[in-house]
Amino acid sequence: LKDKDLSAIREWYNGYSFLGEPVYNPFDILLYLSEGQFRPFWFETGTPSFLVRLLIKKRFFLPQLEELIATESLLERFDVDTISPEALLFQTGYLTVKRYEPSLRGLTYYLSYPNREVKIALNESLASFYIGEEVGITSQLGERLVKDLSVGQVEGMEKVLRSLFASIPYEWY
């Protein structure tokens, strides 16, 4: 690891915490060392189609994933038929404990993505599922949006966003 950027490795692959010190995903570290580049390896071990369908079915508010507040009773549910999206996201490693504090009902947990890898992988999977090929959105359009955003090209971003909104079928309104 002498020639590696340890802060970038930490940002990409560290952060899994279950009331203790954050830990790295060792499988992803090995893949990073093997390939020599940062990538969201998270989904190479399986796809979250069940999870994505549950989030859509429950109309889960996705921006909430940045700082989700949960109780012990919510996170301890295991029945697949009645499990909440929050509990499933936590139990499968898509969310982790960032901090916790005592409350009148036990502990209150503040959850978020464990690291950049999981955030990118989950959001790309959700975007693919929500947008889909049938709407005519390509990864090329997404790449253009990211590029314009990174250099502050507002006009280019506006053009991409207008085409995204224009591609939404009117029946969805």
Side-chain angles (χ1 to χ4, degrees):
L1 295 174
K2 289 179 186 176
D3 61 336
K4 305 296 182 198
D5 182 349
L6 297 180
S7 64
I9 293 172
R10 186 177 305 110
E11 180 184 341
W12 270 86
Y13 304 117
N14 191 21
Y16 299 95
S17 176
F18 305 95
L19 304 182
E21 285 296 314
V23 297
Y24 288 87
N25 180 335
F27 181 69
D28 293 340
I29 294 293
L30 291 173
L31 288 171
Y32 163 72
L33 292 173
S34 171
E35 293 193 15
Q37 59 183 341
F38 292 106
R39 287 193 27 236
F41 300 110
W42 183 254
F43 289 140
E44 290 187 10
T45 58
T47 57
S49 56
F50 169 75
L51 177 61
V52 170
R53 281 194 299 275
L54 178 69
L55 292 172
I56 291 169
K57 178 181 173 190
K58 299 276 186 173
R59 296 178 175 256
F60 191 81
F61 186 60
L62 298 176
Q64 206 175 351
L65 295 175
E66 291 290 339
E67 187 168 307
L68 187 82
I69 300 172
T71 62
E72 285 180 289
S73 62
L74 180 74
L75 297 181
E76 292 172 350
R77 295 184 187 150
F78 291 96
D79 184 3
V80 177
D81 294 329
T82 60
I83 196 166
S84 69
E86 298 91 339
L88 188 59
L89 286 162
F90 174 69
Q91 292 169 13
T92 55
Y94 293 97
L95 294 178
T96 193
V97 176
K98 290 299 181 177
R99 70 181 200 282
Y100 62 95
E101 58 190 38
S103 70
L104 295 175
R105 300 184 334 181
L107 291 178
T108 297
Y109 297 97
Y110 296 87
L111 308 175
S112 189
Y113 299 104
N115 51 43
R116 178 183 259 187
E117 173 196 31
V118 173
K119 182 177 182 176
I120 289 171
L122 181 59
N123 281 292
E124 283 182 354
S125 179
L126 288 167
S128 295
F129 200 88
Y130 276 117
I131 294 169
E133 294 285 330
E134 68 278 356
V135 183
I137 306 302
T138 66
S139 61
Q140 186 177 25
L141 194 58
E143 286 301 313
R144 190 174 324 138
L145 179 63
V146 169
K147 183 178 178 187
D148 290 341
L149 181 63
S150 68
V151 296
Q153 184 67 17
V154 178
E155 296 82 17
M157 290 171 41
E158 180 183 358
K159 186 176 180 182
V160 171
L161 291 173
R162 284 186 182 276
S163 56
L164 283 171
F165 281 109
S167 69
I168 298 172
Y170 74 92
E171 300 94 3
W172 289 7
Y173 178 77

